[in-house]
Amino acid sequence: LARRTALASGVVTELLDQHRKDKLVEILGEAGNLDYRYVITGLGHERARRLLDVSGYVGPAPVSIERYTEVLDWQLANFPAVSVERVRAVVSEMVLPQNTVDVAGLACASARSLFIWGPPGTGKTTIGNLLHDALDGDLWIPHAIGIGSSVVRVFDPGLHEALEPEMAPAVARRIDRRWVCVRRPFVVAGGELTLDALELAWSPEHRYYEAPLHLKANGGIFLLDDLGYQRAAPLELLSRWIFPLERRVDYLSLSTGQKLPAPFRIMLIISTNLEPEKVMNAAFLRRMGYRLHMDYPTADEYRQIFARYAAALPVAVPAGLLETLLARYAAEGRPLRSCEPRDLLERARDICRYELRDFALTPELLDRAWQGYFGAPGGPA
């Protein structure tokens, strides 16, 4: 019972003693040193059925929303600061102008929101992923939160990476197991995001609530990718966050109509390849902490990206091959995109694997990779 409820043995013993006095359980006999075998009485079964009609949650005991907020804020205040060296290290695999690195780093260090826009294939999603690696420190979150007779499940194995922190046995015995240690969350939502995903989700089958995505992202990063491609209108979606961004608190509605104040402690990153005025208004744009425009790479930056990815594979780049490739971009009127050196090199490798030959770049191989990636000359850019 202590393992299932994540409560201390002493607390469980007190609860069982009270249940025995209330004739909800009976002791059948001993089951080892200081342990007993219990059976649920008819009165206990009746009480259980009534309680399961209210909530079907079974698992670690929930903590209060007030305690959750208090512990979350204490942890955030004591995490290591994000340094410029750390940000530069995590984004070093990208070829970026210094101003881009500085703006992204400032947003990450301050935990303010970041709005990124620019054409497709320029690294907007990648930089959001890499900034998560700049966040140090492990986070303790509750398995569930209790609000009156309602339970909200917070820990999600699909989104949270559970950790086993190293600690002395004496310390481990004092840990409140209603909390689980996770890597600081990184939640990504794209075109599949709906307004319902930003509200408490009631499960009629299990009779408890599932926390919305941004509550599960507390203490980490929430990346809203490809804004403008969701089923909900962009302004409708963003309006949901105007108040939380300002006040750092969100109000979630229970099915009873009760409003639940919940902490909003995320670094929100929004990326889009549409023009800002098409997806948000001035009121929301003012509330974004930092804004970052990511454009097509220059020819020199494209060379650096290509050379880095070729070295990582690894494969040698023959002299003159890159200049021929850049001339083909110009001849077909295609913009240079940061993702395309990787895409072309991987398709060249696919061809060599398919034909069971060693991977070696040649003009002929790159031409076939180009045709497989872009199609006929003049095809979609």
Side-chain angles (χ1 to χ4, degrees), residues 172-321:
R173 285 194 292 270
R174 296 198 300 270
I175 293 296
D176 186 342
R177 293 297 172 184
R178 294 178 300 166
W179 300 75
V180 57
C181 185
V182 300
R183 188 184 180 203
R184 294 179 68 175
F186 181 65
V187 177
V188 183
E192 78 286 356
L193 183 66
T194 63
L195 285 169
D196 288 342
L198 305 180
E199 303 294 343
L200 291 171
W202 170 253
S203 170
E205 179 184 358
H206 299 104
R207 295 179 300 287
Y208 63 79
Y209 293 92
E210 190 74 24
L213 290 176
H214 55 284
L215 187 63
K216 294 179 180 181
N218 265 334
I221 291 177
F222 186 107
L223 172 60
L224 175 52
D225 208 11
D226 290 328
L227 178 65
Y229 295 93
Q230 290 75 24
R231 280 178 283 177
L235 290 179
E236 187 181 13
L237 198 60
L238 296 177
S239 295
R240 174 66 183 77
W241 278 328
I242 285 183
F243 183 87
L245 276 175
E246 275 195 347
R247 305 294 179 85
R248 301 183 72 228
V249 63
D250 190 22
Y251 285 90
L252 303 171
S253 298
L254 300 175
S255 58
T256 59
Q258 179 185 354
K259 289 286 187 179
L260 164 68
F264 189 84
R265 311 289 197 267
I266 62 174
M267 178 190 175
L268 176 64
I269 301 178
I270 299 176
S271 77
T272 183
N273 55 34
L274 304 175
E275 291 299 318
E277 59 271 15
K278 292 184 178 179
V279 291
M280 64 172 59
N281 57 26
F284 192 87
L285 200 56
R286 283 198 308 271
R287 289 171 171 83
M288 298 302 297
Y290 289 89
R291 309 173 201 178
L292 180 60
H293 180 244
M294 296 186 69
D295 209 343
Y296 296 121
T298 64
D300 186 55
E301 289 169 342
Y302 186 97
R303 292 186 187 95
Q304 292 181 58
I305 297 168
F306 195 100
R308 283 191 187 187
Y309 200 78
L313 287 176
V315 64
V317 182
L321 186 68

Side-chain angles (χ1 to χ4, degrees), residues 94 96 116 119-129 294-295 338-339:
M94 299 181 72
L96 298 169
I116 312 174
T122 52
K124 299 184 296 298
T125 303
T126 301
I127 199 170
N129 279 269
M294 296 186 69
D295 209 343
S338 302
C339 65

Side-chain angles (χ1 to χ4, degrees), residues 1 3-7 56-62 143-144 178:
L1 282 171
R3 281 195 302 271
R4 290 288 298 273
T5 61
L7 294 172
Y57 174 80
V58 177
H143 284 274
R178 294 178 300 166

